[in-house]
Amino acid sequence: MTERERSRGLAALQQMRHVPVVIALLLLSIDHAASQLPPAPACPVTTHVENTAVARAWHEDVINRRNPAMLQQILAPEVVLHAAGGYPKRMNASGIAAMMDEFLSVFPDLVYTFDQFIAQDDFVVERYTATGTQHGKLGDIPPSGRIATWTGINVFRVECGRIAEVWAQVDAVSRTQQLTGPGPAPQGR
């Protein structure tokens, strides 16, 4: 190796000793710049209109259109359910689909109509009227063949564009009276 080549090699080594310092400064400046950015949202922000559409799909798509696959699109991985009927408090889409399928086996012609939706913050309140003919056992009530119409209110909490919690209140007293009390003979449907 000639003296000239040795000098060039030494010069290159001297320049390279500054490389770690430059890299460290770059990393610090990138870290500092990143810390100045606002935090990325954990999930997409949804509007009242979008939240209402998600809540409406609970009955419109899953029950009225008989499309339980929609639950995969509208439910959080785990939903907290506050309802009568002995259902578990926490359910996933499969559990809720089974619950709704069970109810549809009792009232196979069940239809929900929507009386009102109110959205505020992450909550959507749904007032509905349901009508169906009882062809299966409902709790202790044997199949009656009678048509019943009842009302209910659901409150949905929407998180990240999906239903994360539901409070369900149903006028079960009126429904039970229609299915068991004196009234017109069952109609064939």
Side-chain angles (χ1 to χ4, degrees):
M1 183 181 290
T2 68
E3 188 63 35
R4 186 175 177 176
E5 289 172 338
R6 191 174 297 185
S7 290
R8 260 198 248 170
L10 286 174
L13 282 175
Q14 287 175 345
Q15 288 175 349
M16 292 201 48
R17 74 177 179 188
H18 298 293
V19 170
V21 172
V22 170
I23 290 173
L25 288 172
L26 279 172
L27 290 174
L28 283 173
S29 66
I30 290 170
D31 186 51
H32 177 72
S35 70
Q36 302 302 310
L37 295 173
C43 59
V45 176
T46 53
T47 66
H48 291 150
V49 171
E50 291 167 324
N51 289 348
T52 301
V54 168
R56 183 182 186 104
W58 175 274
H59 283 132
E60 181 64 36
D61 290 309
V62 179
I63 299 291
N64 290 350
R65 294 185 181 150
R66 309 300 195 258
N67 182 12
M70 176 59 80
L71 291 170
Q72 297 294 335
Q73 296 175 34
I74 65 169
L75 296 182
E78 184 175 80
V79 176
V80 179
L81 183 63
H82 308 275
Y87 298 107
K89 185 171 179 158
R90 295 185 181 276
M91 298 177 82
N92 61 19
S94 297
I96 291 175
M99 173 187 73
M100 291 180 160
D101 189 52
E102 179 184 321
F103 204 64
L104 283 170
S105 71
V106 175
F107 297 98
D109 61 346
L110 182 63
V111 174
Y112 283 82
T113 57
F114 305 104
D115 303 318
Q116 186 176 28
F117 285 96
I118 301 168
Q120 182 177 340
D121 301 325
D122 293 338
F123 295 91
V124 177
V125 177
E126 168 200 54
R127 266 191 338 102
Y128 65 84
T129 301
T131 301
T133 308
Q134 184 197 15
H135 289 288
K137 186 177 178 187
L138 178 65
D140 294 334
I141 305 169
S144 67
R146 291 184 176 190
I147 298 171
T149 299
W150 64 92
T151 58
I153 296 174
N154 283 348
V155 178
F156 300 95
R157 184 175 61 79
V158 179
E159 181 179 283
C160 299
R162 294 176 174 260
I163 296 170
E165 197 163 6
V166 181
W167 291 262
Q169 295 294 317
V170 175
D171 182 4
V173 171
S174 174
R175 181 178 63 202
T176 299
Q177 288 172 343
Q178 293 173 64
L179 297 176
T180 62
Q187 300 174 7
R189 237 180 156 188

